[in-house]
Amino acid sequence: MIDSYRKLITLMAVLPMLAFGQVENVSPCGPVPTEDQLRWQDMEMYAFIHYSLNTYTDQEWGFGNEALELFNPSDLDCRQWARVCKQAGMKGIIFTAKHHCGFCMWPSAYTEYSVKNTPWKQGRGDVVRELAEACREEGLKFAVYLSPWDRNHKDYGKPEYVTYFRNQLRELLTNYGDIFEVWFDGANGGDGWYGGANEIRKIDGKTYYGWAETFRMIRELQPHAVIWNDGGDRGDLRWVGTEAGNVGETNWSLMPSKGDTPWHMLHYGVEEGDVWCPGETNTSIRPGWFYHETENEHVKSLSKLMDTYYKSVGRNSTLLLNFPIAPNGRIHPNDSLRGIAFNKMIQEVFKTDLAQTAKIKTQGSETIITFKQPTAFNRFVAEEDIRYGQRVKKFALEAEVDGQWVALKDELVENGDGLTTIGHRRIICFPTVKATQLRFTILDSQCDPIIKRTSVYLAPELTADIPDSGEKRSSNLHYFFSSPRQMMIDWDTEQTITSFRYLPPQNSKEGIVTHYTLWASTDWANWTKVASGEFSNIINNPIWQTIKFTPVKARILRLDADHLADGDRMAFGDFEVVTK
């Protein structure tokens, strides 16, 4: 994703210009991460997969009495899930092995409410196993979500249920290989079927499950797994207080080891915290966590996903992005196309580090990056070596423009707190400037700061003028703009394409494509030019234009607007692709 660490810049008055080998002699500052927490943070992005009986009842939360006969997907393909997630830049998958309805996506020995009693594969299927194996084949890490709340089980709320819960957890942690994370939802107790009782049952989420004992079992069975928990004993990771896809611009990876955690602690962390407990930002690529047909046209836009990336990975967090499974047992094309486009845009933004060819000078708490010539940029990345703790409390960023130093502010900051914490990674986004120098100054820190990376990038513009969904449905096709003059069209499977049709805007010359180049690809990496030329008389006669070419196999088409009649952004009234 973002290219590997290339610089070690130590901003210390006491230890200036510290070299790589010398860093090992630096003493930790406050709580520090474990090796497992470091490995987890380096994953940066991984996927949630939500799939259960809810998928077939059009619900977010099942009541616990949904019929087992509902689960009989026609084309369940865990390898498709893994391939899509990998192409979307995800490093692993967390799977909802059991949601609140209590239905188990594996043949649990402790309940009849599972896939073993469904029509799917005559009861011999195991979704957890198929996904774990698919992840290994694709080089992805695998993890499980096990809902503590169970609206199906008759003993929920009684001591007997905790034994049942741990038995199921033991199954998941012993039968499916290495697990990188164990995820426990914070929803606990309420109304449910509960074996036919149909009543409300309340529990104390902090004490009922005996988290200390449950955690000991996890450490024994999966010693390298990190634990996400939203109640009771403090886990290795914390929720960030929202499912909207952002964490606070100030984000400490520290929390108090005891006591309640109000929203501001979850969202911003606690500077004086005595345990290392970083934030994990979870959100869905759609409005809901489970699949709903009505949300097919509400998949998050590319610009929204990039905003989410900057406000999660770019704020000392990781991004857990959900892909719901459709009733046929596959990730819907709208979701897969958007996920792949998201990863492609990240790669494009962070492709060229402009600081690599610049002169970098560090003195005390100040680093100046001097470019060989006036250079345009709009992204700045800084990283601390968090092995020794999170140290930076406040910093400043300035660009020298026409001989004057201009302060650069993060345009994504909501409340005006300015440039505060860094941690594992901080990405600062600002309007494009053209400058000869960039100055990065640490203004305040808990201990002498250790900065291991500073990078500078010029991200392509991605404005709100691009359609809000990033995609339109036109002639049963999906598209997104990768730049103002470039449109991508993608399918979930390879197609044989014979022609392309373009209808220009009907009420304005702005955005009309007069000269074009059309490219095709099967893998996003290798492109074949299939046609190029001019749309004759298109300005005076804005009718359908048809581009015919030798049939070509493709999963992606790319239309480049080589010249526009007016304006800076391509536009269209409609388009069609003809397949064989």
Side-chain angles (χ1 to χ4, degrees):
M1 181 173 307
I2 298 180
D3 32 340
S4 60
Y5 305 144
R6 292 170 297 277
K7 308 174 187 68
L8 180 68
I9 303 171
T10 309
L11 305 180
M12 295 180 173
V14 179
L15 297 173
M17 303 303 290
L18 202 62
F20 275 100
Q22 295 174 284
V23 177
E24 301 301 328
N25 300 320
V26 176
S27 298
C29 177
V32 297
T34 65
E35 289 299 318
D36 296 317
Q37 287 173 318
L38 284 171
R39 279 192 291 270
W40 162 85
Q41 188 100 49
D42 284 339
M43 291 177 69
E44 297 184 3
M45 297 199 306
Y46 41 98
F48 234 164
I49 294 285
H50 274 65
Y51 187 38
S52 186
L53 290 176
N54 299 354
T55 305
Y56 301 95
T57 59
D58 204 25
Q59 300 178 111
E60 285 290 295
W61 286 9
F63 192 66
N65 62 351
E66 289 75 25
L68 292 170
E69 290 74 23
L70 290 171
F71 192 81
N72 192 21
S74 61
D75 194 23
L76 194 154
D77 186 354
C78 290
R79 284 166 179 78
Q80 188 253 2
W81 309 357
R83 287 193 300 270
V84 167
C85 290
K86 184 175 182 177
Q87 288 179 295
M90 305 294 127
K91 298 301 191 300
I93 294 176
I94 300 179
F95 181 54
T96 52
K98 183 186 81 170
H99 205 253
H100 310 325
C101 69
F103 178 69
C104 296
M105 302 295 283
W106 79 101
S108 175
Y110 299 97
T111 182
E112 298 304 305
Y113 202 54
S114 82
V115 290
K116 69 183 181 183
N117 289 315
T118 68
W120 179 62
K121 294 192 172 182
Q122 294 78 49
R124 293 189 290 273
D126 184 340
V127 185
V128 176
R129 184 170 305 284
E130 290 190 14
L131 183 54
E133 292 174 353
C135 284
R136 282 193 288 271
E137 289 177 10
E138 293 294 334
L140 301 176
K141 295 184 179 182
F142 180 65
V144 291
Y145 163 121
L146 183 68
S147 170
W149 186 21
D150 190 318
R151 302 173 92 181
N152 172 268
H153 202 276
K154 64 182 180 62
D155 290 331
Y156 182 77
K158 304 174 184 178
E160 292 84 353
Y161 173 77
V162 178
T163 300
Y164 168 77
F165 174 66
R166 289 181 183 153
N167 284 337
Q168 289 194 321
L169 184 58
R170 183 176 293 274
E171 286 181 316
L172 292 171
L173 299 184
T174 56
N175 294 331
Y176 299 99
D178 291 338
I179 303 294
F180 80 85
E181 182 172 340
V182 181
W183 215 94
F184 297 124
D185 199 291
N188 290 288
D191 61 341
W193 185 70
Y194 303 129
N198 290 306
E199 62 187 18
I200 295 174
R201 295 183 181 178
K202 299 288 188 181
I203 57 97
D204 183 345
K206 296 179 181 178
T207 60
Y208 172 62
Y209 299 101
W211 288 119
E213 179 60 32
T214 302
F215 284 10
R216 277 194 292 271
M217 185 179 78
I218 296 171
R219 306 290 188 208
E220 172 193 341
L221 300 177
Q222 292 284 342
H224 296 300
V226 290
I227 302 171
W228 189 100
N229 194 33
D230 192 29
D233 290 14
R234 190 81 66 232
D236 300 308
L237 317 173
R238 75 177 196 271
W239 184 44
V240 298
T242 177
E243 296 176 354
N246 64 82
V247 69
E249 64 275 8
T250 297
N251 180 23
W252 292 97
S253 293
L254 310 176
M255 292 288 284
S257 56
K258 303 294 182 183
D260 293 333
T261 52
W263 183 86
H264 72 273
M265 287 188 179
L266 295 171
H267 200 60
Y268 299 103
V270 178
E271 181 181 339
E272 301 83 11
D274 59 346
V275 295
W276 189 273
C277 190
E280 176 188 79
T281 303
N282 63 316
T283 193
S284 183
I285 201 165
R286 291 171 173 240
W289 290 96
F290 284 91
Y291 175 86
H292 308 286
E293 186 176 6
T294 56
E295 293 180 359
N296 283 351
E297 300 307 317
H298 298 283
V299 178
K300 287 180 179 174
S301 68
L302 190 57
S303 57
K304 177 60 179 174
L305 288 173
M306 288 304 299
D307 179 77
T308 297
Y309 178 82
Y310 292 132
K311 292 178 179 178
S312 56
V313 176
R315 290 182 177 176
N316 187 37
S317 178
T318 59
L319 174 57
L320 174 56
L321 181 62
N322 180 63
F323 292 83
I325 304 303
N328 66 350
R330 299 170 65 90
I331 295 176
H332 192 277
N334 291 19
D335 306 56
S336 63
L337 302 185
R338 189 55 43 75
I340 294 168
F342 175 40
N343 184 39
K344 183 177 183 292
M345 181 55 69
I346 294 172
Q347 299 286 351
E348 180 66 23
V349 169
F350 299 104
K351 179 171 61 178
T352 304
D353 181 2
L354 302 173
Q356 277 193 306
T357 56
K359 179 182 177 181
I360 301 175
K361 181 180 180 180
T362 297
Q363 185 172 1
S365 62
E366 182 180 280
T367 292
I368 295 180
I369 301 172
T370 303
F371 303 101
K372 294 180 179 179
Q373 59 189 15
T375 300
F377 53 88
N378 52 25
R379 300 288 184 270
F380 175 78
V381 178
E383 297 178 358
E384 294 186 72
D385 194 335
I386 59 173
R387 291 177 299 165
Y388 306 101
Q390 186 178 355
R391 301 168 176 234
V392 175
K393 297 170 63 174
K394 189 176 182 180
F395 64 98
L397 200 61
E398 302 161 285
E400 188 182 38
V401 181
D402 297 328
Q404 299 293 321
W405 286 104
V406 178
L408 301 177
K409 304 296 184 182
D410 192 338
E411 62 183 349
L412 302 183
V413 169
E414 294 90 353
N415 61 20
D417 280 353
L419 306 181
T420 53
T421 51
I422 294 176
H424 177 259
R425 177 171 302 136
R426 182 69 187 271
I427 303 175
I428 306 300
C429 304
F430 44 88
T432 301
V433 296
K434 193 170 187 179
T436 52
Q437 294 191 100
L438 179 66
R439 184 162 62 194
F440 168 54
T441 308
I442 303 296
L443 301 176
D444 194 8
S445 61
Q446 289 195 340
C447 304
D448 292 325
I450 305 175
I451 304 298
K452 69 177 182 182
R453 173 185 175 193
T454 54
S455 297
V456 182
Y457 300 92
L458 176 61
E461 295 296 332
L462 190 63
T463 71
D465 293 334
I466 293 175
D468 183 58
S469 68
E471 152 189 293
K472 276 188 180 177
R473 177 174 293 275
S474 177
S475 305
N476 296 319
L477 299 175
H478 302 86
Y479 80 84
F480 64 90
F481 288 100
S482 55
S483 76
R485 293 188 176 215
Q486 189 176 85
M487 180 172 69
M488 299 283 193
I489 304 161
D490 200 341
W491 295 265
D492 193 45
T493 58
E494 192 174 280
Q495 309 284 326
T496 299
I497 303 163
T498 61
S499 62
F500 179 88
R501 303 185 70 223
Y502 170 78
L503 179 68
Q506 298 297 292
N507 300 314
S508 172
K509 294 180 181 180
E510 188 166 351
I512 290 180
V513 179
T514 62
H515 296 74
Y516 68 90
T517 303
L518 189 67
W519 304 81
S521 175
T522 59
D523 60 2
W524 287 98
N526 301 293
W527 294 90
T528 300
K529 184 165 73 172
V530 296
S532 65
E534 178 183 3
F535 292 129
S536 300
N537 201 33
I538 192 170
I539 298 174
N540 297 322
N541 190 20
I543 61 174
W544 278 102
Q545 307 286 319
T546 301
I547 308 170
K548 294 183 178 180
F549 43 83
T550 302
V552 60
K553 290 187 178 297
R555 279 196 57 233
I556 313 103
L557 278 184
R558 188 180 87 204
L559 178 66
D560 288 347
D562 298 329
H563 189 268
L564 301 176
D566 195 12
D568 298 319
R569 185 178 300 279
M570 68 183 297
F572 64 87
D574 205 350
F575 68 87
E576 293 179 350
V577 175
V578 180
T579 57
K580 200 169 183 178

